[in-house]
Amino acid sequence: MGSSSSPNGEMKMADHSRWSELPNHITEMIVNRLGFPDIIRFRAVCRSWRSVYTEARRHRYHPMVLYEYNLQKGTFGFYSFEDKKVYWINVRDNYQGKHCVGSCESWLVLSSPYLRNYFLLNPFTGARVDCPYVNRPDVDVFTKVILLHSPIDPTTKQTNYYCTVVALNSFSTELNICRLGDLRWNVLKLDHEHFLGCLVCFKDKIYSLSTNGELWIISLSGPMLRATVQKVLVQINLTVGLDFQKECYLVESEENLLMVIRIKRKSTKKTVRFVIYKLVQNPGEYKWIREYNLPDDRALFLGRLCSRIVSTTEYGGLQGNSIYFTDDKLIHKARVSEYPETGIYNIRSGSIAPCLPFNLYPFDLPHIWITPSVRNRDAIDLAEFWTHWNGTMMVEQISIN
């Protein structure tokens, strides 16, 4: 083994030092080809690479399923379809939550276990943004929350006060609306019709469905978030039989709004198939038109808290013309331990395959689709990785300071 003063030793040291001297355009090319969490490892190599990581334009990462979590302890378990691995993230700060009521890109919407307040948490960075306090005893709990725009301004890396939070309370039939930084929520009463838990932002408007088939189209304007409501009764004839039940989802798909009907067998509470409709608007008329397939290069991630269409070309390793679905269990119903239902529904064949390559023990909280992001104001300063085998797959634990 040669000493460091030997010619070979000097050459090895010189070669090693050149990694930090690579031109920025080369390291930027490397950054934009890395998946999660390789991007975090890249950032930890040296100071110059960390600088490139901070300035480089990020591409989006593969959607993950948040399949197990303890909100009181700040531990989150993710399964990645990109590399077929499980990642555990420990958020060490005191970000305790009681329920997760929403998910948007890399952000979770959590309720506090003690007070009537909600906050946004990015578990990949530890960034937190608080929502106004809910100072109303008649509010039970939000059942679905969506975000209009990112909570963090991409230019200033500070809180984006133009980000609008819209919360649906299905039990009191109202929408609660605020912008980040507001002192209170604005309340929009939705008559006496109960809503299906569907809530989506499509072309800068909010869409929701009531149990009688009405499509609510809500426009927000002005600094006080003045709401203009349009109600449209869109008829649809879908008979599923007495042995089955329906769940409904609204999903934005590029220039279209989709309604996805999930049909479950009542006796087993298992999904048997999905039916997709596209909203078509003609002058003075709205119609739901049946869609029998998705494009072969598109996959739909479907869940009560978050649904989105992704490109299988941009995100490799996914099945096209398929629906990746999780359980749609409401957190407010009686907590009965059961095996959460996840799967991949092939739209063309109608077959259902396992979504996760391992069995889950009974778990009470809903599974959530989430997209990793590590480019926020509270970027990870240190990430420690422990890799070990857990049965048939690799598990990696990440601690966020």
Side-chain angles (χ1 to χ4, degrees), residues 25 65 94 132 186 210 384:
H25 72 279
V65 57
N94 186 23
N186 296 312
S210 67
E384 300 173 351

Side-chain angles (χ1 to χ4, degrees), residues 54 106-107 120 122 127-129 147-164 180 373-379:
T54 302
S106 60
W107 292 86
L120 314 179
N122 185 328
R128 169 177 173 157
V129 181
L147 306 179
L148 281 60
H149 311 296
S150 172
I152 299 297
D153 185 280
T155 302
T156 65
K157 307 299 188 297
Q158 301 298 315
T159 299
N160 180 11
Y161 295 109
Y162 291 98
C163 175
T164 302
L180 297 182
S373 173
V374 293
R375 191 183 185 186
N376 288 317
R377 60 174 181 177
D378 296 325

Side-chain angles (χ1 to χ4, degrees), residues 238-252:
L238 179 64
T239 303
V240 297
L242 297 177
D243 296 332
F244 301 90
Q245 65 185 48
K246 297 180 291 185
E247 298 288 346
C248 181
Y249 309 83
L250 292 177
V251 185
E252 179 185 10

Side-chain angles (χ1 to χ4, degrees), residues 174 304 340 370:
E174 67 182 26
R304 180 177 295 278
I370 189 169

Side-chain angles (χ1 to χ4, degrees), residues 246-395:
K246 297 180 291 185
E247 298 288 346
C248 181
Y249 309 83
L250 292 177
V251 185
E252 179 185 10
S253 176
E254 297 174 340
E255 294 299 314
N256 298 311
L257 180 64
L258 302 182
M259 177 174 63
V260 183
I261 306 294
R262 177 177 184 168
I263 302 174
K264 304 175 70 174
R265 193 178 300 276
K266 289 182 179 179
S267 59
T268 60
K269 296 183 179 180
K270 295 296 184 181
T271 300
V272 294
R273 67 188 178 103
F274 293 87
V275 182
I276 303 174
Y277 291 87
K278 179 176 69 174
L279 184 67
V280 176
Q281 180 181 2
N282 296 315
E285 183 183 24
Y286 288 80
K287 288 184 179 181
W288 289 114
I289 303 299
R290 177 74 181 273
E291 292 284 293
Y292 291 92
N293 286 287
L294 292 176
D296 289 334
D297 62 346
R298 292 291 185 272
L300 168 58
F301 284 79
L302 193 73
R304 180 177 295 278
L305 300 184
C306 177
S307 298
R308 58 177 300 194
I309 297 279
V310 301
S311 166
T312 57
T313 302
E314 182 179 359
Y315 302 102
L318 300 177
Q319 297 182 23
N321 195 23
S322 297
I323 299 176
Y324 289 70
F325 64 93
T326 68
D327 55 284
D328 53 3
K329 185 177 181 180
L330 274 175
I331 60 176
H332 316 287
K333 293 187 176 181
R335 293 196 170 205
V336 178
S337 292
E338 60 186 44
Y339 280 91
E341 185 186 21
T342 59
I344 306 173
Y345 177 78
N346 185 293
I347 299 175
R348 182 170 285 108
S349 67
S351 61
I352 297 178
C355 181
L356 302 176
F358 51 89
N359 292 324
L360 296 172
Y361 57 83
F363 197 66
D364 291 325
L365 296 176
H367 296 160
I368 304 165
W369 300 119
I370 189 169
T371 305
S373 173
V374 293
R375 191 183 185 186
N376 288 317
R377 60 174 181 177
D378 296 325
I380 299 169
D381 290 324
L382 176 64
E384 300 173 351
F385 299 91
W386 296 271
T387 305
H388 60 279
W389 285 99
N390 179 18
T392 59
M393 70 175 50
M394 190 73 75
V395 179

